[in-house]
Amino acid sequence: MNSIFRSKKAQSAVEKTAEIVFTVCAFFAVLAVLSITVYMFMNGTPALAEVGITEILFGSIWKPTASEPSFGIAWVILTSIVGTTLAILLGVPIGVLTAVFLAETAPPKLAAVVKPAIELLAGIPSVIYGLLGILLLCPAMYSLEQKIFKGSETHQFTGGANLISAVLVLAIMILPTVINISESALRAVPASLKSASYGLGASKIQTIFKVTIPAAKSGIISAIVLGVGRAIGEAMAISLVSGSSVNSPLPFNSVRFLTTAIVSEMGYASGLHRQMLFTIGLVLFIFIMIINLSLTRILKGGNKDD
Amino acid sequence: MVYINILLVTAIGSYRKEEKIMKNRMIALIAAGILAVGSLAGCGSTETSAPAETPAAETTVEAAAESTASEETTEAAEAEEVADLSGTITMSGSTSMEKLANAVAESFMAKYPGVTVTAEFTGSSAGIESVLAGSVNIGNSSRNLKDEEIANGAVENIVAIDGIAVVVDPANTVADLTADQLIAIYKGETKNWSEVGGADQAIVVVGREAGSGTRGAFEELLDIEDACAYANELDSTGAVMAKVASTPGAIGYVSLDVVDESVIAVNLDGVEPTEENIKAGSYMLSRPFVMATKGEISEQPAEVQELFNYLASDEGKELIKSVGLITVD
């Protein structure tokens, strides 16, 4: 602090440096998004043109290496939609109620245990979920499968690698996202609203369901959308528990998701088969883009309400 | 990301303290650097991973040629004795032999920097046609040569044998399957082990993903191409082994060299899947890898003769084993 002049000079240098740093960072993010978009479209469209968009999207036979190859991914797309939807239907209620517990009803000591546990859950690599799925979920599913389909002439036994296993793994994987975002949404509900509800004679549970959750609606919706994004983009964990055969998405069928379709065949694919895998990537990319855009819209809509 | 954010916040928060300005500026720069490198790496890997996996033979071959060229000077002494060996060896044929052909091309060129080996993968029949037409030196074929091909002057040089074992879980009591039983199981017609003499246990059909060489060979040898009803399509040999080992009633196929005691390799038509039986030709799920030449090897150019010598040497045998194949004696 020798002189005001020098200090100002130094200050402005910091300002400028920081500005440049921010611009460069923003530039890299935009560059990444742009190059991925261009790359996906460049690699995804040739097969689209060659095979035909209707055959790809509505064909149900996936035989990429046959002498007369067939590239229908209808079941694969449907599996991704059904699997993600079921995982959301299962994971969101559990997640939101856990968030209510943490934000509203949990005794501080118990919350101090639950909260770090959920944060740990968020940090577990997806391959670990998959391995646990193989070790715990699949054998349980297999014995269930053997009981349900005992003596069945038509059912193809999958050894427990099926849609349900994948959905269960996905539901657990989206929990941390849903819980954390819902919880902060619930905590952001003004105390005055709750006080008013109590003042009118409502019980704690009534207040939670009639006041707090509706007031945190937009935050909870964005939690759901982020959960969908996580579930639809997951590959590693479900590739280990889904069986990875192209089938209709019935509970005990071995199924293939958009993500696992790319992962499982990338190793040896060549020619049109390889291009088709990029087209599947493009389909997935468009799916995720749609989800992200709707997320942004919901978030903007939520801000307008405030 | 959170860590970087904290750094940036600290940097901005305390920037009024003049004596810390330089330090903070550096922290901010380092943080930005980490971020930039991070995004670059993410970006780069997405774009480069794809072409690196492209099975175009020439790229690998060229890359290998470049790397050996740089070693040329350091290996001057060794190069002296092979200096007279130069030229180009062209191969064409079986896609199943891609792994072997690329491995041979790479290591042969590393040993003889003057020689260029190129390999194309067009299919066994196309490969033999090319060698008979004289457009390539070696025609790769993953089946025995047909009589008419031999009549036209093709010579069958078997360099390696590919063996596939059918494995079941260790608790399975079925130790022997006939070809028809195996085909029925993989086509989904036989669904219970009791139908083939085992316990009342559902069959879980495990296979490899489309495009896998093992799957291609298995389906080709049993003549059930694209007719299999897989319950599990796994993308690696290890995954097949793990799934079969841990699932009661599972059946799968893997390269013979990876079979261990976690699974049981069943006999096919009463023949045990051993190297001896495969060499004797009595085991069903095996096929020869032929490098066909037009005329005897002794009639070939020196570099082609040397390639076959190399394959027959201990070094070449190690190479053949390293790609999961059985050597011929």
Side-chain angles (χ1 to χ4, degrees), chain B residues 174-202:
Chain B
V174 178
D176 203 315
L177 287 170
T178 67
D180 290 337
Q181 283 171 336
L182 190 60
I183 289 168
I185 287 172
Y186 268 90
K187 276 185 167 175
E189 291 155 4
T190 303
K191 289 174 181 290
N192 199 298
W193 284 109
S194 61
E195 292 169 57
V196 290
D200 181 18
Q201 168 85 49

Side-chain angles (χ1 to χ4, degrees), chain B residues 20-36:
Chain B
K20 280 193 181 169
I21 284 177
M22 284 310 289
K23 205 174 147 195
N24 287 332
R25 207 185 280 168
M26 276 177 72
I27 293 173
L29 278 173
I30 290 164
I34 293 167
L35 201 69

Side-chain angles (χ1 to χ4, degrees), chain B residues 100 160-163 255 257 289 317 320-327:
Chain B
L100 174 69
I161 303 173
D162 188 17
S255 222
D257 62 315
F289 277 179
K317 281 181 178 165
I320 288 166
K321 279 182 194 154
S322 74
V323 291
L325 299 170
I326 297 163
T327 54

